[in-house]
């Protein structure tokens, strides 16, 4: 690996290589990252202390949580593409609108882009509300990002928190969200395939995502090109049940064409 990484970046990359390969050897990882074997051993020991992998003699293997990593350890791969998607997603909003967002690396980028949109700080014409927009979310990290923004009203559902994604799920979350009808749902997914539809890796998250998109007047899926054509464990809905797909310009033209043929508008950022 040519580019020098920070420790946080190296930890994320180690976890991704572990999940991809099924195991890690200290010497191989040291050669790949261009650091000493002692550095890799310390990294693996740290990740084992966080219960994100299991140490072996000479390396590491995945444990039950390695396949569903907390967001704070996920790599910033394709961060530029996600930032472009986020900026384009914010352009779809207007002063006074209500928008729901689930958890995920792309929707977090959307949340971070909201404060930069000066036009959203205004109240809707004729409104007495002091805030510009309302954000409904089941993601604790998104709520934390936006709570300090006075022009954004935050509505957070209750539920059981999943440490892997910081999302609130379960019956309480579903009941709360079913009482709300946002103008727009910005939905992050793990996989988006023209035939298999929208998928994620946890059935409880899939259930809440279904409620969010069904309750919204319009649903826009935000997914970078790497997620197109991917099929994960749990289906959220069919492609023709959403209004638009917002992805980046690196998306496979064949998949883009198939998505458009299925019904939704495809927007390339």
């Amino acid at each position: 690996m040519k580019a020098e990484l920070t420790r946080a970046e190296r930890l994320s990359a180690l976890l991704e290589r572990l999940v991809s390969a099924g195991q890690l050897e200290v010497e191989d990882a040291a050669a790949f990252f261009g650091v000493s074997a002692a550095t890799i051993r310390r990294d693996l020991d740290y990740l084992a202390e966080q219960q994100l992998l299991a140490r072996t003699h000479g390396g590491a293997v995945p444990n039950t949580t390695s396949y569903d990593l907390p967001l704070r350890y996920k790599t910033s791969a394709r961060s530029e593409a996600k930032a472009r998607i986020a900026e384009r997603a914010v352009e779809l909003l207007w002063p006074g609108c209500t928008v729901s967002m689930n958890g995920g690396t792309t929707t977090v980028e959307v949340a971070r882009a909201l404060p930069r949109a000066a036009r959203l700080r205004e109240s809707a014409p004729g409104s007495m509300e002091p805030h510009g927009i309302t954000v409904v979310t089941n993601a604790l990290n998104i709520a934390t990002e936006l709570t300090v923004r006075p022009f954004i009203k935050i509505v957070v559902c209750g539920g059981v928190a999943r440490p892997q994604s910081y999302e609130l799920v379960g019956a309480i979350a579903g009941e709360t969200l079913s009482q709300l009808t946002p103008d727009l749902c910005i939905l992050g997914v793990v996989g988006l395939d023209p035939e298999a539809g929208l998928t994620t890796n946890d059935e409880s998250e899939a259930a809440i995502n279904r409620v969010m998109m069904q309750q919204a007047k319009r649903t826009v899926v935000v997914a970078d090109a790497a997620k197109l054509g991917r099929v994960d464990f749990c289906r959220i809905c069919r492609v023709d049940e959403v209004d638009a797909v917002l992805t980046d310009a690196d998306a496979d033209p064949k998949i883009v064409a198939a998505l458009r043929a299925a019904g939704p508008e495809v927007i390339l950022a």
Side-chain angles (χ1 to χ4, degrees), residues 99-115:
V99 56
S100 60
M101 289 192 286
N102 65 338
T105 53
T106 308
T107 48
V108 166
E109 287 300 318
V110 175
R112 289 172 177 167
L114 287 174

Side-chain angles (χ1 to χ4, degrees), residues 31-114:
F32 179 81
F33 289 103
V35 296
S36 68
T39 295
I40 295 297
R41 289 190 189 94
R42 285 193 295 271
D43 287 347
L44 295 181
D45 287 342
Y46 172 79
L47 292 172
E49 290 173 2
Q50 303 299 310
Q51 299 182 337
L52 292 171
L53 53 75
R55 287 287 270 124
T56 64
H57 180 70
V61 294
N63 63 10
T64 55
T65 62
S66 299
Y67 297 100
D68 197 8
L69 304 178
L71 287 176
R72 65 184 181 276
Y73 290 108
K74 285 188 176 179
T75 182
S76 58
R78 298 192 55 75
S79 58
E80 183 180 342
K82 292 176 181 179
R84 293 201 310 270
I85 291 170
E87 293 292 341
R88 184 66 180 85
V90 171
E91 292 177 6
L92 301 176
L93 306 181
W94 62 94
C97 73
T98 54
V99 56
S100 60
M101 289 192 286
N102 65 338
T105 53
T106 308
T107 48
V108 166
E109 287 300 318
V110 175
R112 289 172 177 167
L114 287 174

Side-chain angles (χ1 to χ4, degrees), residues 176-193:
T176 302
L177 294 170
S178 68
Q179 303 302 312
L180 305 173
T181 54
D183 295 311
L184 184 69
C185 173
I186 295 179
L187 194 69
V189 297
V190 175
L192 176 58
D193 181 80

Side-chain angles (χ1 to χ4, degrees), residues 167-243:
E167 288 182 278
L168 297 167
V169 297
I172 298 174
E175 176 62 24
T176 302
L177 294 170
S178 68
Q179 303 302 312
L180 305 173
T181 54
D183 295 311
L184 184 69
C185 173
I186 295 179
L187 194 69
V189 297
V190 175
L192 176 58
D193 181 80
E195 294 185 3
L198 287 61
T199 55
T200 188
N201 50 31
D202 180 80
E203 65 276 8
S204 59
E205 287 184 10
I208 294 301
N209 292 345
R210 275 194 294 274
V211 174
M212 294 181 79
M213 55 87 55
Q214 288 168 354
Q215 290 297 111
K217 299 179 180 70
R218 174 177 165 83
T219 297
V220 177
V221 181
V222 288
D224 67 83
K227 294 178 180 177
L228 302 190
R230 176 175 174 177
V231 180
D232 220 274
F233 177 56
C234 302
R235 188 183 196 183
I236 300 170
C237 67
R238 301 187 310 273
V239 169
D240 63 1
E241 293 181 83
V242 302
D243 298 282

